[in-house]
Amino acid sequence: MSTITVMVVFDLPMRLKFRGQVRRSGILLHGAAGWAEFSPFPDYDDATSARWLDAARDIAELGFPPALRDRIPVNTTVPAVDAATAYELVRASGCRTAKVKVAETGQTLSDDIARVEAVRDALGPDGKLRVDANAAWTVDEAVPALKALDVFALEYAEQPVRTLEEMAQLRRRVDVLLAADESVRRAEDPMLVVGLEAADIVVLKVQPIGGVRRCLEIAEACGLPVVVSSAVETSVGIAAGVALAAALPELPYACGLGTVTLLDGDVTADPLLPVDGELPVRSVEPDLSLVHADDDVREWWMARMEASSRAGG
């Protein structure tokens, strides 16, 4: 029997457009173990969104697993902005690792090179720099693009091509380490990443995968280094990613959880923001006086949660 007793819709503006979005909205759920977030992106279908709902229910009703560390190193995330803005974002972040979005629709490889070069300048030679193409390239496009970008010493490239089969092909043609994100969470069998030798690193996101415990199961089964990343959530959602990172036996890379700064506001007065490139391991209690949404947004999200629940069985 469900212990969910409170459901509150939030709707926040974003500081910069990210994944085509200018606002971030969703539902905060409260259950026996605390607060959780349900916030699949608007273009996701009901079956995909059902995993996000499974994650929220699991967290709200069962809470987080035991933590093995109390602080999590994080990267700053640089959207597909101009080079000058990218430089300033990294300098202001305090992080020593940066993930740079590349292969944006309507932009060119020259735009990507300029942005990545600016981020390398901001980090200095000792900072870690990774890129994320969100599966936008073909294999033949990714090969020259990654070779050009690796001039700036890439730590790894996240999801440069769409499928695990394409990742496996690309991995044999470039020297840059590859991290699988979308191709793992959208695969019928996430363990294909190992069988195909398609990646060096796996990126896990709590909501898209279906919860903290499901992520831990995949991490243990695949045996690859894990980077925990966000889905651009509020601090309530970020806390779940932090809990996953804290529960992993090993954490060799900075995590992509420093994304609350992409939002122009939050659902708490005490947001999970990086300090010296790290996040504390803690739960987040929302301040409901800060949680707002128009009636049409509330109705849309409540209907979406119901549809996701039906799709998940």
Side-chain angles (χ1 to χ4, degrees):
M1 182 177 178
S2 174
T3 66
I4 304 297
T5 56
V6 180
M7 294 175 286
V8 186
V9 176
F10 66 88
D11 183 24
L12 295 165
M14 299 192 67
R15 296 181 190 275
L16 297 164
K17 182 184 286 188
F18 191 86
R19 290 187 82 261
Q21 305 297 310
V22 295
R23 301 191 69 82
R24 197 71 181 98
S25 56
I27 304 179
L28 303 179
L29 294 80
H30 188 266
W35 288 93
E37 178 174 332
F38 169 66
S39 56
F41 291 105
D43 57 325
Y44 288 1
D45 63 23
D46 293 339
T48 301
S49 300
R51 289 197 298 272
W52 297 59
L53 185 56
D54 288 344
R57 287 171 169 167
D58 180 73
I59 292 162
E61 296 182 337
L62 299 178
F64 299 139
L68 303 179
R69 53 190 65 85
D70 61 8
R71 303 195 70 80
I72 304 300
V74 297
N75 65 259
T76 188
T77 299
V78 180
V81 294
D82 62 83
T85 302
Y87 180 92
E88 294 301 328
L89 287 173
V90 174
R91 293 292 290 177
S93 73
C95 296
R96 298 301 303 145
T97 301
K99 180 170 82 169
V100 185
K101 292 293 183 176
V102 295
E104 182 83 354
T105 300
Q107 296 187 5
T108 67
L109 180 56
S110 295
D111 296 320
D112 294 336
I113 291 170
R115 186 181 312 115
V116 170
E117 181 177 17
V119 170
R120 171 52 70 201
D121 289 344
L123 288 170
D126 297 327
K128 303 293 187 183
L129 195 166
R130 54 187 72 158
V131 296
D132 182 4
N134 286 118
W137 287 321
T138 65
V139 173
D140 287 339
E141 290 169 337
V143 171
L146 290 179
K147 288 180 178 178
L149 295 172
D150 197 31
V151 169
F152 306 105
L154 299 182
E155 182 182 36
Y156 63 77
E158 183 174 327
Q159 202 62 53
V161 292
R162 189 172 62 88
T163 67
L164 287 173
E165 290 78 9
E166 290 170 327
M167 289 279 287
Q169 294 172 36
L170 178 61
R171 189 164 174 258
R172 286 152 181 77
R173 294 177 60 182
V174 296
D175 295 327
V176 179
L177 296 181
L178 301 186
D181 177 9
E182 287 94 337
S183 58
V184 170
R185 57 187 166 87
R186 292 177 181 172
E188 289 296 322
D189 178 8
M191 290 308 299
L192 278 175
V193 69
V194 178
L196 294 173
E197 298 183 347
D200 305 281
I201 299 156
V202 63
V203 177
L204 299 181
K205 299 177 180 178
V206 171
Q207 283 201 80
I209 292 292
V212 174
R213 290 163 183 80
R214 176 58 178 153
C215 287
L216 288 172
E217 291 171 359
I218 291 174
E220 181 179 13
C222 77
L224 293 174
V226 171
V227 173
V228 181
S229 197
S230 89
V232 197
E233 295 114 326
T234 71
S235 286
V236 170
I238 295 297
V242 169
L244 169 59
L248 288 167
E250 297 180 1
L251 195 67
Y253 293 97
C255 291
L257 297 169
T259 55
V260 168
T261 54
L262 296 173
L263 305 178
D264 191 7
D266 201 354
V267 297
T268 174
D270 187 20
L272 273 173
L273 296 172
V275 176
D276 296 328
E278 294 183 324
L279 288 176
V281 178
R282 63 175 175 86
S283 60
V284 171
E285 191 83 10
D287 179 347
L288 297 185
S289 70
L290 300 175
V291 182
H292 306 286
D294 292 340
D295 289 345
D296 60 334
V297 176
R298 283 197 294 269
E299 291 171 5
W300 188 88
W301 273 103
M302 297 308 292
R304 187 177 198 195
M305 186 170 69
E306 178 62 29
S308 300
S309 182
R310 290 196 301 269

